[in-house]
């Protein structure tokens, strides 16, 4: 029997997929009724506070544990002396996102803000005071926090399992044959995620069952990992993560402080809450590591690339191996007959970096897009024209076609809307009415389309409503809303009739909310679950002589607005309510899985594409830079909810502007401490920094990326934007700044 449920063909049947619905969780959030992890107060709750190191390298020689224990209200003090053993060695990295877990292994201090003890008390105040009484003494070693004194190494992998070196063609020969070669060194700083909601957890044990209220981007994966550390079956761990106040990658990976709270709860047989302070988030829960990048680009007489060499020295900790995969941003964007992307690791006395929104793509494309601008300048070609000459029609190295290619349209539409055609080639040509220097710059945006396995369940109920379930995560991106729209479409129901449950690990595995892949991954599972439920329903109706659909089995039915219609005669239809009633069923349950077609994965390169155009204004006397305008055009497959997609692009573009002009963790080289570990001095843009944004949604049908045709929109906005802003600053001032963030002192002669 054939069944018309909208799928990759983008059939709509009047459903709400494609509509700009507002967020399902919006009202709960703005009225304060959304419950975040730290809002939970189970009976008998204890409060935990980590004591953290004030040095970046050395050893804790003493802690006044007795003083802390003697403090009224303090229940327990965990140190390396008494921390209960774990079933899995926390020094042993556990796949798939395996990194060392910092849980009081020993007295060694490896970075500033490293937890060195956990104080548990009846109140938050007592725990905080107890932690202050520990008065740690240290044996201090000189911290290694700059490229000059950290050890270099060849990394086995970059990012999460990425290739440390990609090479095809002869780069040196390509450079030798070039009419012009540009070479530059680019530097990106350490950045910290700074989610509004800190890393928090309420951990509670019942026997060998562990319940966790915690923000989490990867529920099933985390349950399995925690279970292994505690030596219990994965199904014994339940994570409730209905809302996340931002994640950006930092809540996809296990961390020490949260696990210490779990350890304490088990030890004390009482629920334990821990919430990091803002300052404590600068260390043990990941960050974007520094990079020192070198780019060499060869260009021939006609303005085509002859060679592209991108090298990144990426910082990591002294004890683990997450490296910002910056150079890999150059492996899939521009066509060069010779290309080498390579990484070197640098060990510093910092907390281990981790994935942070567009890890590698953000920092790498920042350098690449500035370098491309320099190459265009050297060749005397307009930067957009230069990119049009050089963007890759097929994936560099593999020659695989892109699953869809709307990049040319992104360039064209973005340029048109921005007014790029009237841009003077030379810098320092434009002023505004107040005498500020005006500059226009651009950058190409690109982000891969990973796909995570996921599962979902759809229950059609006798009253014509449905419940759809998947253990996904909404960290603010609007997953609840978009995923419910996908499910409603598959079920042929108005989204208002579909209840969406997510954010609890007991539901079918919703995969990882990361890699900008959540809508595609969990969405496809929901779509398939909805389809499955409708198929069961259709089987009842077409086999029932009392149904107007009887005998339509070979012809097929259409699911729309709570009714099944005969495909050949849409006037003959029956409601879900009627069908279920006559079948004597209270509900039908459909299940769905999500996976990418392996043949498509083999044959096509899958990316979201875009182009970002920036206008900046620079005070000619003071060097102060303001972003005046950002226009981004993005093609990311099928748009489920344009309001949310636009908002994701805005978020990415704002982060890009932030990367270019504001964000930087500044380390005191004497102590190894981050000096601006707070939201007053770790600069992120405020409204006045971002005056006007436009995101153009370029329609794109990609039949290969997944059956829904959906691609990621969360991270791509940062890529392209950083370079666009930096290139606009050059165009305004003539200063080519290769160190981020761009500072006033870089723009004063
Ligand atoms: Mo993101 S860095 O893929 O959560």
């Amino acid at each position: 029997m054939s069944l018309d449920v909208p799928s990759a063909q983008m059939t709509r049947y009047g459903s709400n997929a494609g509509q700009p619905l507002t967020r399902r969780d919006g009202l709960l959030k703005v009225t304060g009724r959304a419950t975040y992890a730290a809002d939970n107060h189970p009976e008998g709750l204890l409060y935990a506070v980590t004591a953290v190191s004030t040095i970046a390298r050395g050893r804790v020689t003493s802690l006044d544990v007795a003083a802390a224990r003697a403090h009224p209200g303090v229940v327990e003090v965990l140190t390396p002396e008494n921390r209960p053993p774990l079933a899995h060695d926390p020094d042993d990295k556990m796949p798939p996102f395996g990194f060392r877990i910092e849980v009081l292994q020993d007295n060694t201090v490896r970075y500033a803000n490293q937890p060195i003890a956990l104080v548990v008390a009846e109140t938050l105040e007592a725990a905080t005071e107890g932690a202050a009484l520990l008065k740690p003494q240290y044996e201090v070693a000189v911290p290694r926090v700059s490229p000059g004194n950290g050890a270099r190494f060849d990394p086995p992998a970059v990012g999460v399992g990425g290739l440390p070196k990609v090479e095809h063609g002869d780069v040196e020969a390509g450079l030798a044959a070039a009419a012009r070669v540009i070479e530059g060194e680019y530097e990106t700083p350490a950045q910290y995620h700074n989610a509004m909601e800190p890393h928090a957890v309420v951990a509670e044990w019942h026997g060998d069952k562990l319940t966790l209220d915690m923000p989490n981007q990867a529920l099933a994966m985390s349950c399995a990992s925690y279970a292994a550390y505690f030596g219990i079956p994965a199904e014994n761990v339940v994570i409730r993560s209905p809302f996340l106040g931002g994640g950006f990658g930092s809540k996809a990976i296990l961390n020490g402080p949260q696990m210490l709270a779990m350890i304490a709860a088990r030890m004390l047989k009482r629920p334990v809450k821990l919430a990091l302070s803002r300052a404590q988030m600068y260390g043990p829960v990941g960050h974007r590591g520094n990079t020192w990048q070198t780019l060499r680009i060869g260009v021939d007489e006609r303005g085509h690339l002859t060679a592209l060499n991108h090298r990144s020295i990426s910082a990591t900790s002294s004890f683990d191996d997450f490296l910002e995969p910056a150079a890999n941003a150059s492996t899939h964007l521009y066509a060069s007959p010779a290309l080498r992307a390579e990484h070197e690791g640098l060990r510093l006395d910092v907390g281990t970096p981790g994935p942070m929104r567009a890890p590698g793509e953000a920092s790498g494309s920042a350098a690449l897009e500035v370098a491309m601008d320099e190459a265009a300048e050297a060749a005397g070609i307009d930067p957009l024209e230069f990119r049009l000459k050089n963007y890759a029609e097929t994936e560099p190295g593999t020659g695989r076609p892109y699953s869809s290619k709307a990049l040319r349209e992104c360039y064209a539409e973005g340029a048109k809307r921005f007014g790029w055609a009237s841009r003077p080639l030379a810098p320092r040509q434009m002023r505004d009415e107040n005498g500020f220097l005006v500059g226009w710059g651009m950058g190409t945006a690109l982000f891969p389309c990973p796909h995570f396995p996921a599962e979902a369940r759809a229950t059609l109920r006798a009253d014509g409503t449905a419940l759809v379930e998947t253990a996904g995560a909404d960290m603010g991106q609007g997953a609840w809303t978009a995923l419910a729209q996908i499910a409603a479409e598959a079920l042929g129901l108005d989204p208002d009739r579909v209840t969406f449950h997510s954010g609890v690990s007991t539901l079918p595995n919703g995969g990882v909310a990361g890699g900008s892949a959540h809508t595609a991954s969990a969405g496809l599972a929901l779509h398939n679950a909805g389809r499955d439920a409708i198929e069961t329903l259709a089987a009842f109706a077409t086999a029932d002589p009392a149904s107007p659909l009887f005998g339509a089995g070979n012809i097929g039915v259409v699911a729309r607005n709570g009714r099944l219609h005969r495909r050949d005669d849409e006037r003959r239809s029956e409601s879900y309510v009627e069908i279920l009633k006559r079948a004597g069923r209270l509900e039908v349950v459909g299940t769905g899985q999500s996976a990418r077609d392996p043949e498509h994965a083999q044959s096509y390169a899958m990316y979201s594409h875009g182009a970002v155009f920036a206008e900046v204004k620079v005070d000619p006397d003071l060097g102060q830079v303001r972003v005046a305008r950002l226009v981004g055009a993005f093609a990311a497959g099928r748009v489920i909810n344009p309001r949310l997609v636009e908002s994701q692009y805005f978020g990415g573009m704002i982060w890009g502007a932030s990367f270019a002009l504001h964000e930087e963790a500044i380390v005191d080289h004497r102590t190894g401490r981050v000096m601006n570990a707070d939201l007053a001095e770790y600069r992120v843009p405020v409204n006045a920094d971002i005056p006007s944004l436009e995101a153009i949604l370029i329609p794109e049908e990609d039949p290969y990326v997944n059956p829904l045709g959906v691609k990621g929109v969360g991270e791509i906005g940062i890529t392209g934007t950083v370079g666009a802003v930096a290139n606009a600053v050059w165009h305004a001032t003539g200063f080519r700044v290769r160190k981020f963030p761009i500072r006033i002192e870089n723009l004063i002669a």
Side-chain angles (χ1 to χ4, degrees):
M1 181 182 68
S2 72
L3 185 75
D4 275 354
V5 172
S7 68
Q9 284 68 46
M10 304 193 191
T11 329
R12 290 238 172 85
Y13 302 122
S15 99
N16 281 296
Q19 300 303 309
L21 303 189
T22 53
R23 288 159 193 266
R24 291 195 156 215
D25 48 346
L27 196 62
L28 289 176
K29 283 182 174 169
V30 298
T31 55
R33 282 179 292 153
T35 309
Y36 291 85
D39 294 330
N40 291 285
H41 300 88
E43 193 69 29
L45 183 64
L46 292 170
Y47 296 81
V49 168
T50 54
V52 300
S53 68
T54 53
I55 66 164
R57 184 184 173 205
R59 218 164 52 83
V60 178
T61 53
S62 87
L63 286 170
D64 196 347
V65 174
R69 274 188 200 282
H71 191 68
V74 170
V75 174
E76 183 57 274
V77 179
L78 259 76
T79 70
E81 302 294 312
N82 67 339
R83 193 263 282 154
L86 291 162
H88 183 95
D89 180 359
D91 282 332
D92 182 25
K93 305 167 195 184
M94 195 183 306
F97 287 4
F99 295 95
R100 183 181 179 276
I101 309 291
E102 184 81 50
V103 277
L104 305 174
Q105 273 91 324
D106 50 43
N107 292 321
T108 306
V109 174
R110 300 170 182 87
Y111 56 94
N113 277 342
Q114 175 188 317
I116 53 173
L118 185 82
V119 178
V120 189
E122 297 289 348
T123 63
L124 176 61
E125 291 76 7
T128 307
E129 289 155 6
L133 291 169
L134 287 169
K135 300 245 180 321
Q137 303 295 311
Y138 303 99
E139 186 183 292
V140 186
V142 177
R144 299 158 297 190
V145 288
S146 65
N149 59 7
R152 304 282 184 89
F153 69 105
D154 280 330
V158 295
V160 180
L163 290 173
K165 187 169 182 178
V166 175
E167 184 168 21
H168 58 82
D170 187 336
V171 164
E172 301 310 324
L175 290 171
R180 291 174 196 82
V181 174
I182 71 104
E183 173 164 0
E185 287 179 18
Y186 307 83
E187 199 177 324
T188 65
Q191 300 173 343
Y192 283 77
H193 301 78
N194 274 304
M196 277 170 71
E197 180 200 22
H199 295 72
V201 63
V202 174
E204 186 167 11
W205 288 84
H206 294 282
D208 64 352
K209 292 199 163 70
L210 174 61
T211 304
L212 301 167
D213 290 291
M214 66 187 291
N216 191 293
Q217 294 175 239
L219 293 168
M221 202 179 282
S222 300
C223 285
S225 298
Y226 287 128
Y229 283 110
F230 289 109
I232 56 177
E235 61 269 22
N236 281 18
V237 181
V238 174
I239 301 180
R240 294 185 291 231
S241 181
F243 304 101
L244 292 87
F248 316 120
S250 75
K251 290 168 180 169
I253 289 191
L254 271 54
N255 64 67
Q258 287 172 324
M259 201 185 291
L260 282 172
M262 300 170 206
I263 293 170
R266 190 180 214 185
M267 185 180 177
L268 299 170
K269 300 188 166 54
R270 283 174 68 178
V272 170
K273 178 195 290 195
L274 175 136
L276 294 184
S277 69
R278 179 64 47 184
Q280 288 175 345
M281 290 163 69
Y282 286 74
V285 291
H287 66 282
R288 193 194 301 282
N290 306 67
T291 69
W292 292 267
Q293 303 176 49
T294 309
L295 270 133
R296 296 189 296 159
I297 295 179
V299 185
D300 69 14
E301 289 295 351
R302 289 165 32 251
H304 290 112
L305 299 187
T306 62
L308 173 56
N309 179 207
H310 192 162
R311 178 180 176 76
S312 177
I313 298 170
S314 300
T316 187
S317 65
S318 65
F319 54 89
D320 214 333
D321 297 323
F322 186 97
L323 278 80
E324 180 81 358
N328 288 349
S330 284
T331 56
H332 15 250
L333 190 46
Y334 297 113
S336 175
L339 184 147
R340 188 163 72 239
E342 53 198 325
H343 296 84
E344 196 180 351
L346 172 70
R347 298 223 176 270
L348 299 179
D349 296 312
V350 298
T352 306
M356 177 165 166
R357 210 169 183 194
E361 286 84 8
S363 47
S365 76
L368 172 64
E369 291 304 317
V370 173
M372 284 295 285
D373 229 58
E374 293 179 66
E377 183 196 351
I381 302 174
D382 169 82
L384 173 59
E385 196 191 322
F386 185 63
R387 286 171 177 81
L388 283 166
K389 276 178 187 287
N390 285 297
Y391 81 83
E393 296 277 3
T394 57
E395 192 180 42
T398 68
R400 295 189 302 180
Y402 288 100
S403 56
S404 171
K405 192 84 171 109
L407 177 55
R408 183 172 278 277
E409 259 177 273
C410 296
Y411 283 136
E413 274 306 305
K416 193 165 90 187
R417 200 74 66 91
F418 185 83
W420 183 263
S422 65
R423 176 185 180 276
L425 196 58
R428 292 187 78 93
Q429 301 299 305
M430 299 193 293
R431 297 248 181 182
D432 76 356
E433 64 282 8
N434 298 312
F436 287 100
L437 294 162
V438 176
W440 290 358
M442 59 130 348
T444 310
L446 184 93
F447 199 80
C449 303
H451 193 103
F452 296 107
E455 295 158 14
R457 183 165 54 227
T459 307
L460 262 177
R461 299 181 289 214
D463 63 357
T465 64
L467 168 68
V468 297
E469 301 166 288
T470 192
D474 196 327
M475 51 205 157
Q477 79 275 40
W480 277 22
T481 313
L483 291 175
Q485 284 178 266
I486 291 172
E489 187 181 58
L491 286 163
L493 286 174
D494 187 284
D496 289 343
R497 301 185 75 78
V498 176
T499 304
F500 178 72
H501 278 178
S502 187
V504 188
S505 65
T506 47
L507 299 175
N509 175 11
V512 180
S516 300
H518 196 34
T519 309
S521 303
L524 181 57
L526 285 159
H527 172 83
N528 289 338
R531 248 187 106 92
D532 188 38
I534 291 290
E535 259 178 67
T536 305
L537 195 69
F540 290 151
T542 56
D544 181 352
S547 169
L549 301 170
F550 178 65
N554 295 325
I555 298 150
V557 296
V558 177
R560 187 178 70 210
N561 291 336
R563 300 182 74 83
L564 294 182
H565 302 254
R566 267 183 80 110
R567 189 207 292 276
D568 60 343
D569 180 1
E570 296 223 2
R571 286 164 309 178
R572 291 168 69 181
S573 72
E574 191 169 33
S575 73
Y576 300 173
V577 175
E578 284 299 313
I579 297 167
L580 284 170
K581 194 160 103 191
R582 239 172 328 88
R585 301 286 291 255
L586 288 175
E587 59 182 38
V588 293
V589 180
T591 58
Q593 311 262 326
S594 182
R596 173 165 283 154
D597 181 326
E599 225 166 90
H600 291 164
Q602 198 72 40
S603 313
Y604 295 94
M606 296 169 178
Y607 294 90
S608 297
H609 296 278
V612 181
F613 298 80
E615 174 177 302
V616 300
K617 293 189 174 184
V618 184
D619 185 314
D621 301 315
L622 303 177
Q624 190 180 47
V625 182
R626 289 199 172 278
V627 176
R629 212 152 54 94
L630 286 175
V631 175
F634 302 97
R638 183 183 177 199
V639 170
I640 298 298
N641 183 320
R643 182 195 302 269
L644 299 175
V645 167
E646 180 185 59
S647 169
Q648 284 295 291
Y649 291 147
F650 284 170
M653 288 157 75
I654 290 167
W655 202 322
S658 180
F659 191 126
L661 299 179
H662 303 286
E663 281 190 68
E664 176 177 24
I666 301 165
V667 173
D668 183 331
H669 285 234
R670 297 161 302 180
T671 62
R673 290 163 59 96
V674 174
M675 293 190 287
N676 56 341
D678 56 67
L679 281 177
E681 297 196 58
Y682 182 92
R683 302 201 325 137
V684 293
V686 296
N687 284 358
D689 294 311
I690 308 290
S692 162
L693 292 177
E694 193 173 351
I696 304 163
L697 280 50
I698 302 293
E700 181 188 42
E701 290 195 26
D702 187 329
Y704 304 114
V705 67
N706 55 60
L708 292 175
V710 168
K711 294 182 176 180
V713 297
E715 290 164 275
I716 186 171
I718 309 177
T719 75
T721 305
V722 188
V725 171
N727 294 336
V729 168
W730 170 80
H731 192 237
T733 65
F735 286 105
R736 190 64 80 178
V737 184
R738 302 183 184 85
K739 184 175 193 286
F740 294 100
I742 295 168
R743 292 167 162 276
I744 286 172
E745 53 264 39
N746 304 132
L747 304 176
I748 296 175

